[in-house]
Amino acid sequence: MGLDEDSLDYHSQDPPGKIEISTTKPTNTQRDLSLAYSPGVAAPCRAIDDNPADAYQYTAKGNLVGVISDGSAVLGLGDIGAQASKPVMEGKGVLFKRFADIDVFDVELDLDNADAFVEAVAAMEPTFGGINLEDIKAPECFRIEGKLRDRMDIPVFHDDQHGTAIISGAALLNAVEIAEKDLEDLDVVFAGAGAAATATARFYVSLGVDSDNVTMCDEHGILSTDRTDLTRYTLPFANTEGGDLADAMDGADVFVGLSVGGIVDEDMVRSMADNPIIFAMANPEPEIGYERAKNARDDTVIMATGRSDYPNQVNNVLGFPFIFRGALDARATEINEEMKVAASEALANLAREDVPDAVTKAYDDEPLQFGPEYIIPKPLDSRVLFEVATAVARAAMESGAARNELDLDRYRERLEARLGKSREMMRVVLNQAKREPKRVAFAEGDDEKIVRAAYQLVDEGIAKPVLVGDRKQIWAIADRLGLDFEPEIVDPTRDHLDPYIDRLHELRRRKGVTREEAEDLMRDGNYLGNVMVEMGDADAMLTGLTHHYGAALRPPLQIIGTADDADYAAGVYMLTFKNRVVFCADTTVNQDPSADVLAEVTQHAASVARKFNVEPRAALLSYSDFGSVDNPGTRKPRRAAERLRANPDVDFPVDGEMQADTAVVEEMLTGDYDFSDLDAPANVLVFPNLEAGNIGYKLLQRLGGAEAIGPMLAGMDKPVHVLQRGDEVKDIVNLAGVAVVDAQE
């Protein structure tokens, strides 16, 4: 099937279209329905009648955007009318929801009169928290947006005008730095004089470009003052002299294409100034192809297009969801120039940061590092949400457009929580870690992921990393990635290690380790890092990124050992679902635990839960419910639960043996098993053996859609955690945060 057939099939699958409305409150009982509608709904109606601003408290208005179009200028399709534009507007709603968790009603108006369009949209102000105008032809779009901005007390934003301006503006900010040029000195040429081009030119002036240095061309050539076909929107960019596009590009620093494909050739590129910046954004064919422009000259050509198959895609999805997110949350009356500039600057700054592994994987592991091939973040970079929305909200408050005063640190955390429960839970630990950062040794300190994680830990003030590894290699990695920091490094091949060798020999000499063997072991960062922690030269350690779990766990058990009040260590994973968190143990350490070991593992898992401000409710799992099957296997968790309930030091509810669904389904606990000591579903799940634990957490992660954090090693005498092979940088940062909190305690 071709793309058209695939798309028709995609859109026609039942239910047709791409969006639906879902309820956000319970509707299961008669009482629920009486609260949702009659008679209970009268109370919020009266409250809003008394105070219209209460609509933001009692309705969905504050998170609802109207995507409104007349279908007169649909990208690539032209004037196809209101009805035919509906799939595009539904698609815009999908993007709002996917990237910024904003709800959308799409409204297609069959009106060909700008004044009538304005009246219709203005009348809908009670419904929406913001208005996104879409695919409206020029020059009507300018009049419509201007009039609606004047009349309406909510943000009105024509994305076709401003979206491209903001995203390409971010690219421009980074391009001029790479090309070593100054904004105020740039000679900028535009191909195209429509809504997007004029809005982009105005926005570049807001960023610092001199308006006298802007030359705008349309199909008739350079816009000049002697032409009679200019509008009040294009006249400010008219030059005193005419000419064609080739004349305009001669000596120019920047070319901005918002016109049609194939109108620029290699000679025109060669005529530009040194290290030219070319934004060829016509779709689907750019004004000049990526390879042709790059190959036209020998110096650095910084190139962006509107296409996803080339570097530096100028994609409006990097803008409108997050701009509206910040504007809605600040309850802004408008999206002003300050807010747009803030969005552009936030995008530019983000492109200079280290790129998460999840983003590079989403783009087929292509290298993403600030430079000519990467001047704009990728749309699937989840950090865009909290970077851009926070910047927009800040600008709204500083410019006087906001009606909500936000605590921006807490607001950023709320935005992170929208990306998943795991971010919300980890923020508890990371905030605690930042209060008193500790020294964390990394056994594989010369691995690129570890170096990147160490940079983030320093940059965010979470920990003081100590990298164990080849010093030259670590510095080379940091230099190649442009990571400007100075981590502490311990090089096992070059540094003086006698105190550590002596200590390892002392600890292991009655286990058959000679001093010569201890010296050899000190070349292994895993052994060296553990001895550093044991001697107090580091507060915690992470290892295991490049080793199998068992091999990485052996040195910590040999050197650090378990805590004085613990006989066994345990591996605990935190699994986060949309509205639930569970801790699974033991998933990595004890193969066939006895009842005593299960009891201790349960206590370890409960202590891990409390690190995340979760009060534990523990269930010891089996295939039996409270004695329904009696054999040695089911007796083991049953006895463990009995011992825990009899232990006066256990201050959390625990029960078992029970089946997994009994443990997590409230109706089952409160129905057939209302005698259980658990008064709510369990959030600490203790598996009967390692095989079950490992299988269980992985099934929950992969089929249940949970995010996994861990494994967290509990019960050790000092904080040591073992990563999983191939963990991403964010996993390393998270586990380092857990280690810091362990060390604080």
Side-chain angles (χ1 to χ4, degrees):
M1 294 177 70
L3 182 62
D4 286 351
E5 291 80 5
D6 285 344
S7 181
L8 291 172
D9 181 60
Y10 171 87
H11 283 82
S12 64
Q13 291 175 15
D14 195 41
K18 299 187 285 288
I19 58 177
E20 66 178 7
I21 295 175
S22 62
T23 58
T24 60
K25 301 294 188 296
T27 55
N28 301 317
T29 67
Q30 176 60 38
R31 177 169 173 77
D32 291 340
L33 295 176
S34 69
L35 292 172
Y37 196 53
S38 180
V41 75
C45 290
R46 286 192 293 267
I48 296 168
D49 185 41
D50 292 339
N51 179 18
D54 280 353
Y56 288 92
Q57 181 176 353
Y58 296 121
T59 76
K61 176 184 174 85
N63 196 52
L64 185 62
V65 166
V67 173
I68 303 179
S69 179
D70 62 1
S72 61
V74 178
L75 181 64
L77 299 174
D79 188 351
I80 60 174
Q83 182 104 318
S85 74
K86 187 171 178 62
V88 178
M89 304 312 135
E90 284 189 355
K92 200 71 180 282
V94 169
L95 298 179
F96 267 109
K97 189 66 177 177
R98 162 64 178 80
F99 288 100
D101 196 23
I102 292 173
D103 298 317
V104 161
F105 289 159
D106 63 287
V107 180
E108 294 74 34
L109 297 175
D110 190 11
L111 296 169
D112 57 7
N113 179 280
D115 291 331
F117 190 97
V118 168
E119 292 300 323
V121 176
M124 289 187 276
E125 182 167 352
T127 300
F128 296 111
I131 300 293
N132 183 102
L133 300 172
E134 192 74 14
D135 292 345
I136 303 169
K137 67 182 179 180
E140 286 84 349
C141 62
F142 299 112
R143 290 180 53 222
I144 289 171
E145 186 192 45
K147 287 188 174 184
L148 288 173
R149 282 171 58 94
D150 290 340
R151 287 185 57 173
M152 302 183 80
D153 204 28
I154 58 176
V156 177
F157 185 82
H158 185 210
D159 188 44
D160 301 298
Q161 290 183 55
H162 308 298
T164 300
I166 291 166
I167 312 309
S168 68
L172 182 68
L173 292 173
N174 282 333
V176 295
E177 178 172 320
I178 294 167
E180 298 182 345
K181 298 175 185 256
D182 295 319
L183 280 169
E184 59 270 19
D185 297 330
L186 291 179
D187 186 351
V188 183
V189 173
F190 280 82
T198 52
T200 301
R202 290 198 303 270
F203 186 69
Y204 284 9
V205 172
S206 296
L207 291 177
V209 171
D210 188 336
S211 60
D212 291 337
N213 294 340
V214 175
T215 302
M216 190 169 286
C217 305
D218 62 10
E219 65 269 26
H220 305 299
I222 296 173
L223 273 60
S224 58
T225 52
D226 60 355
R227 286 176 49 171
T228 59
D229 58 342
L230 304 187
T231 69
R232 65 188 181 94
Y233 306 105
T234 56
L235 189 59
F237 299 106
N239 286 25
T240 55
E241 297 182 4
D244 58 18
L245 180 60
D247 296 324
M249 289 182 64
D250 189 6
D253 297 289
V254 182
F255 168 79
V256 181
L258 290 161
S259 52
V260 295
I263 62 172
V264 174
D265 60 31
E266 288 93 334
D267 287 338
M268 296 160 76
V269 173
R270 282 190 282 267
S271 75
M272 296 179 69
D274 292 343
N275 300 324
I277 299 165
I278 299 175
F279 297 164
M281 295 180 285
N283 257 328
E285 181 190 357
E287 284 81 359
I288 182 170
Y290 184 85
E291 292 87 358
R292 288 178 62 201
K294 296 285 282 188
N295 295 332
R297 46 195 299 160
D298 295 330
D299 58 356
T300 301
V301 177
I302 302 173
M303 179 83 173
T305 71
R307 294 178 52 142
S308 61
D309 51 349
Y310 293 115
N312 301 324
Q313 182 192 17
V314 177
N315 189 332
N316 283 16
V317 79
L318 280 167
F320 66 84
F322 316 108
I323 294 167
F324 269 99
R325 180 78 274 159
L328 291 174
D329 293 337
R331 206 181 296 172
T333 57
E334 63 177 347
I335 295 173
N336 57 32
E337 202 69 9
E338 292 90 341
M339 294 160 72
K340 290 183 279 187
V341 169
S344 197
E345 290 175 343
L347 285 169
N349 291 333
L350 183 57
R352 305 178 193 193
E353 300 292 332
D354 185 47
V355 180
D357 295 332
V359 178
T360 57
K361 286 182 179 178
Y363 292 92
D364 298 324
D365 291 317
E366 64 176 278
L368 300 175
Q369 183 181 343
F370 181 62
E373 308 298 303
Y374 181 70
I375 56 175
I376 322 172
K378 293 291 189 179
L380 293 178
D381 190 334
S382 61
R383 299 172 301 169
V384 177
L385 172 61
F386 47 86
E387 294 294 346
V388 174
T390 302
V392 169
R394 177 186 292 108
M397 291 189 292
E398 292 175 350
S399 65
R403 286 173 289 198
N404 274 353
E405 284 296 318
L406 300 171
D407 180 323
L408 290 176
D409 290 334
R410 291 186 178 180
Y411 176 56
R412 184 184 176 94
E413 292 176 12
R414 281 170 43 206
L415 291 171
E416 283 193 80
R418 288 182 181 274
L419 298 175
K421 192 72 173 175
S422 64
R423 286 180 178 266
E424 180 183 350
M425 300 303 298
M426 276 310 306
R427 185 51 53 191
V428 173
V429 168
L430 296 179
N431 284 344
Q432 174 64 33
K434 289 178 181 181
R435 295 188 184 104
E436 189 186 356
K438 297 291 186 179
R439 290 161 53 84
V440 179
F442 291 87
E444 298 132 314
D446 50 17
D447 184 273
E448 181 178 308
K449 287 183 179 179
I450 296 293
V451 176
R452 291 167 55 203
Y455 173 77
Q456 288 189 26
L457 292 166
V458 170
D459 187 55
E460 297 181 29
I462 297 169
K464 301 173 183 177
V466 181
L467 303 184
V468 180
D470 186 293
R471 183 174 281 102
K472 290 183 177 179
Q473 186 172 335
I474 292 169
W475 285 123
I477 292 170
D479 184 61
R480 174 168 54 83
L481 297 176
L483 305 179
D484 185 17
F485 77 130
E486 297 182 4
E488 182 179 347
I489 299 172
V490 176
D491 189 334
T493 63
R494 294 180 177 86
D495 292 347
H496 178 72
L497 303 178
D498 282 352
Y500 302 129
I501 295 169
D502 292 340
R503 182 56 177 160
L504 179 59
H505 179 231
E506 182 181 352
L507 291 169
R508 301 296 295 170
R509 62 191 176 191
R510 291 189 179 273
K511 300 295 183 180
V513 176
T514 67
R515 194 184 187 286
E516 289 75 15
E517 289 171 329
E519 186 173 353
D520 289 339
L521 289 172
M522 277 302 99
R523 309 299 176 196
D524 183 334
N526 201 358
Y527 278 93
L528 176 53
N530 274 284
V531 176
M532 290 173 64
V533 172
E534 199 277 337
M535 293 181 66
D537 290 342
D539 301 303
M541 190 192 82
L542 264 62
T543 184
L545 185 66
T546 58
H547 297 81
H548 288 291
Y549 193 88
L553 179 60
R554 194 173 300 113
L557 292 175
Q558 291 175 347
I559 297 167
I560 303 296
T562 57
D564 291 340
D565 59 350
D567 295 316
Y568 303 94
V572 182
Y573 268 99
M574 179 175 73
L575 298 180
T576 62
F577 301 84
K578 184 175 182 180
N579 295 309
R580 179 179 288 191
V581 177
V582 296
F583 296 84
C584 295
D586 177 4
T587 54
T588 58
V589 179
N590 299 287
Q591 290 190 5
D592 189 16
S594 65
D596 287 338
V597 176
L598 280 179
E600 186 172 327
V601 165
T602 304
Q603 290 177 278
H604 289 329
S607 69
V608 170
R610 282 178 166 153
K611 284 187 177 66
F612 293 87
N613 289 347
V614 173
E615 276 303 307
R617 298 184 300 272
L620 285 103
L621 302 182
S622 176
Y623 64 94
S624 165
D625 270 326
F626 305 104
S628 62
V629 177
D630 187 46
N631 60 39
T634 62
R635 289 180 206 133
K636 187 170 63 171
R638 190 185 315 153
R639 289 170 179 166
E642 290 169 354
R643 290 169 191 178
L644 287 163
R645 289 196 297 271
N647 186 342
D649 294 330
V650 174
D651 60 349
F652 55 89
V654 58
D655 213 337
E657 86 285 14
M658 66 177 72
Q659 294 185 9
D661 53 350
T662 302
V664 299
V665 178
E666 185 166 12
E667 291 78 5
M668 297 180 71
L669 275 174
T670 58
D672 293 341
Y673 306 109
D674 59 354
F675 57 82
S676 172
D677 284 1
L678 298 181
D679 58 358
N683 52 29
V684 173
L685 305 179
V686 182
F687 292 85
N689 55 50
L690 180 60
E691 189 173 21
N694 196 268
I695 292 170
Y697 100 80
K698 287 186 176 180
L699 283 174
L700 286 169
Q701 180 186 10
R702 299 300 181 183
L703 298 183
E707 289 190 61
I709 293 174
M712 292 166 273
L713 194 56
M716 297 294 290
D717 191 43
K718 294 190 177 182
V720 176
H721 292 287
V722 180
L723 297 158
Q724 293 281 64
R725 291 183 73 189
D727 269 350
E728 296 181 1
V729 171
K730 71 176 179 65
D731 302 315
I732 301 168
V733 171
N734 286 342
L735 208 51
V738 172
V740 169
V741 173
D742 288 344
Q744 290 173 347
E745 296 173 351

